[in-house]
Amino acid sequence: MAGQVLSTGAATDNAKGAHPILCTFDVTTPRGNPALAAFLHNGQWIDATQEERRDIVIKDLCRFFGDEAANYLDYADKIWNDESYSGGCPTAIIPAGNMEAFTHIREPFKLIHFAATEAATVWPGYMCGAVQSGLRAANEVIWHCRPEAVNKEMLKDTIYDKDFESLTVPQPETYGSAGKNQWPRRIVFGAVLILGILAFSKKYKLSHMAR
């Protein structure tokens, strides 16, 4: 059993008129501590007490996972509408047809690389997805600026993933400080080099004549 549920919130005889759970996810920790995360119908249970929400959620979990779900160790919930910085729940379900275009929202446009929770390949719509997407975009930029510092694992889920071995790295003139026009510096360096050679030659000639 995966611990994942997707529900339409069918009608029921509880006070709110519908089952509370929309979906659940298995959020077992890396240390193996089992846990489930669930999302409830927006707005229908905000005014209820935490005890009321707990009772109806556990009852709904038993509907999906059996009576054993009532033997839980702990319960906690959060009303995300109260969070002033996040402003509510994660992103909504992607509309039909968008899956075909999903990879395109991660494609760079010239020197611009895109990162957002909506562009994540893991946990899109969540903070975890935002972090993963940001790391992916950063690795893409590093690949262009310092390709020797990037390995195949770092380019996983990027548009360069499949072609890592054969990918031709763009010339450094297109990225970062190396993208600036190098000709003025080259001219100055060449002029200094020529003057140095002339000065050395003149000094060597005078020294040779003195002998």
Side-chain angles (χ1 to χ4, degrees), residues 19-171:
H19 289 290
I21 293 178
L22 284 176
C23 57
T24 67
F25 299 96
D26 182 352
V27 291
T28 300
T29 68
R31 294 185 177 182
N33 298 322
L36 285 177
F39 288 95
L40 311 186
H41 280 282
N42 183 34
Q44 292 187 344
W45 300 92
I46 291 179
D47 296 331
T49 65
Q50 187 180 56
E51 290 73 19
E52 290 173 333
R53 289 194 297 269
R54 178 198 61 200
D55 293 343
I56 196 67
V57 165
I58 297 302
K59 182 179 179 180
D60 212 14
L61 288 175
C62 291
R63 182 167 68 98
F64 296 113
F65 301 113
D67 294 339
E68 188 177 355
N71 300 322
Y72 61 95
L73 298 178
D74 192 17
Y75 172 89
D77 64 23
K78 177 70 176 179
I79 299 176
W80 289 105
N81 287 357
D82 294 341
E83 290 294 310
S84 58
Y85 294 105
S86 62
C89 65
T91 54
I93 298 173
I94 299 176
N98 279 16
M99 292 304 294
E100 294 183 359
F102 178 69
T103 57
H104 297 297
I105 66 176
R106 294 185 281 119
E107 294 179 358
F109 176 74
K110 296 184 178 180
L111 304 186
I112 303 174
H113 293 254
F114 299 95
T117 185
E118 293 82 3
T121 58
V122 178
W123 286 101
Y126 298 81
M127 190 62 197
C128 292
V131 173
Q132 186 253 11
S133 181
L135 291 173
R136 184 261 309 156
N139 288 333
E140 290 175 357
V141 174
I142 295 174
W143 167 251
H144 285 278
C145 296
R146 295 184 59 193
E148 70 279 1
V150 181
N151 56 43
K152 185 173 178 63
E153 182 63 25
M154 294 171 66
L155 292 180
K156 184 179 180 181
D157 295 325
T158 72
I159 64 168
Y160 311 126
D161 189 0
K162 295 181 180 179
D163 301 324
F164 176 78
E165 300 297 339
S166 60
L167 182 66
T168 301
V169 181
Q171 295 300 313

